[in-house]
């Protein structure tokens, strides 16, 4: 029989990270996080992360600056940031998004610390 563990996370009780992200359900190889009502502002310096990120825009607009490209993110759009890619986000309108990271961003400090920076929406 396979793994029968079930995890449910209510976002209103989720722990928050240093950058304002809410940590949602997390497994061994994949995790989710939520960015809620991130305000417009200038992007943080670009960073590269030791995980892959996919995201989905719930509301608002932002620019994803990824390896010299600028991708406009609107409600209903999804995106990918490959592992190790230099990127940052510029929120244009109050922004909410859900992201999944693999491996989990919160494990082993991948999501926090000296190179994390304060940026939105994904801070990834």
């Amino acid at each position: 029989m396979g793994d029968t563990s079930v995890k449910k996370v209510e976002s209103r009780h989720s722990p928050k990270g240093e950058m304002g992200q809410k940590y949602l359900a997390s497994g061994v190889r994949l995790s989710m996080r939520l960015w809620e009502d991130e305000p417009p502002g200038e992007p943080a310096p670009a960073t590269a992360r030791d995980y892959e990120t996919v995201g989905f825009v719930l509301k608002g607009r932002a620019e994803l600056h990824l390896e010299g490209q600028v991708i406009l993110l609107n409600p209903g759009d999804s995106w990918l940031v490959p592992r190790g890619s230099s990127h940052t986000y510029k929120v244009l309108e109050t922004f909410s998004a859900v992201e999944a990271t693999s491996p989990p961003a919160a494990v082993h400090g991948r999501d926090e610390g000296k190179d994390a920076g304060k940026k939105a929406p994904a801070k990834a």
Side-chain angles (χ1 to χ4, degrees), residues 1 27-28 34-35 42 48 50 63 77 82 111-112:
M1 176 182 274
V28 174
L34 174 66
W35 304 97
E42 291 303 311
D50 191 29
E63 292 175 347
D77 290 347
D111 208 17
E112 307 290 349

Side-chain angles (χ1 to χ4, degrees), residues 35-96:
W35 304 97
E36 282 186 303
D37 299 322
E38 293 289 327
E42 291 303 311
T47 188
R49 298 282 186 220
D50 191 29
Y51 51 80
E52 181 176 58
T53 301
V54 293
F56 180 80
V57 181
L58 300 169
K59 70 178 184 179
R61 292 181 328 115
E63 292 175 347
L64 168 58
H65 297 239
L66 176 68
E67 295 289 342
Q69 304 171 73
V70 177
I71 299 111
L72 183 61
L73 301 174
N74 292 299
D77 290 347
S78 60
W79 72 93
L80 165 70
V81 175
R83 182 180 196 159
S85 295
S86 177
H87 69 286
T88 190
Y89 301 85
K90 179 178 182 177
V91 175
L92 305 173
E93 294 174 2
T94 302
F95 193 82
S96 295

Side-chain angles (χ1 to χ4, degrees), residues 4 8 10 14 24 33 47 59 68 77 84 93 100 103 114 120:
T4 60
K8 175 187 172 185
E10 292 184 29
S14 294
L24 303 175
R33 57 191 178 177
T47 188
K59 70 178 184 179
D77 290 347
E93 294 174 2
K114 64 179 174 31

